Amino acid sequence: MATKLRFEPDEAWIVFRLNSAPIGTRRDGEFNCVAVMDAATLLIHSMEMVPAESAGPTCAQASTLLAKACGASGRFPAKLMGSADDPADEVAGEARRRGIEVARTPARSLSRFTREAREAFAARFGGTPA
């Protein structure tokens, strides 16, 4: 599936994991940071820390992730894109419940959108960009 190169603001959002390796904490274990980014502006609208041992965000976390993103942008997108190899099934399900089209896309196709955010996250929190 070919990914469209240009989008209007809030036409499409991308859900992805910002970190390449789990983020360790002393008290609560390891986490992954799941983000929702606008494909047009590359602004991250929301983030949730998800326990690394889980397959992805829970239903409640998915709902919160999308609600926060909507609050930041003012509306929901027409489409939510996610990597086929990054499990975000609950986010996809929540998006569908809200009437948002969901598209699974190869990670390499989304990397042109997510690379800079992943590099900045790695620079701040350590690790290498995924």
Side-chain angles (χ1 to χ4, degrees), residues 9-20:
D10 294 315
E11 175 186 355
W13 290 349
I14 301 168
V15 61
F16 67 104
R17 192 176 74 194
L18 271 167
N19 54 304
S20 59

Side-chain angles (χ1 to χ4, degrees), residues 37-123:
M37 170 193 284
D38 180 59
T41 64
L42 304 184
L43 292 174
I44 293 178
H45 288 322
S46 66
M47 295 184 293
E48 282 289 314
M49 299 303 282
V50 177
E53 69 271 2
S54 66
T58 64
C59 190
Q61 287 173 316
S63 180
T64 299
L65 193 64
L66 292 177
K68 284 181 182 176
C70 180
S73 73
R75 65 183 181 121
F76 286 111
K79 180 185 281 189
L80 179 74
M81 297 183 294
S83 170
D85 39 326
D86 194 4
D89 293 336
E90 294 297 336
V91 180
E94 183 64 24
R96 285 185 190 101
R97 283 188 285 282
R98 294 173 186 255
I100 301 167
E101 176 190 348
V102 175
R104 292 292 196 174
T105 306
R108 69 182 179 281
S109 296
L110 294 177
S111 69
R112 68 176 152 253
F113 299 102
T114 62
R115 183 180 312 111
E116 187 176 328
R118 285 185 165 152
E119 288 172 353
F121 193 88

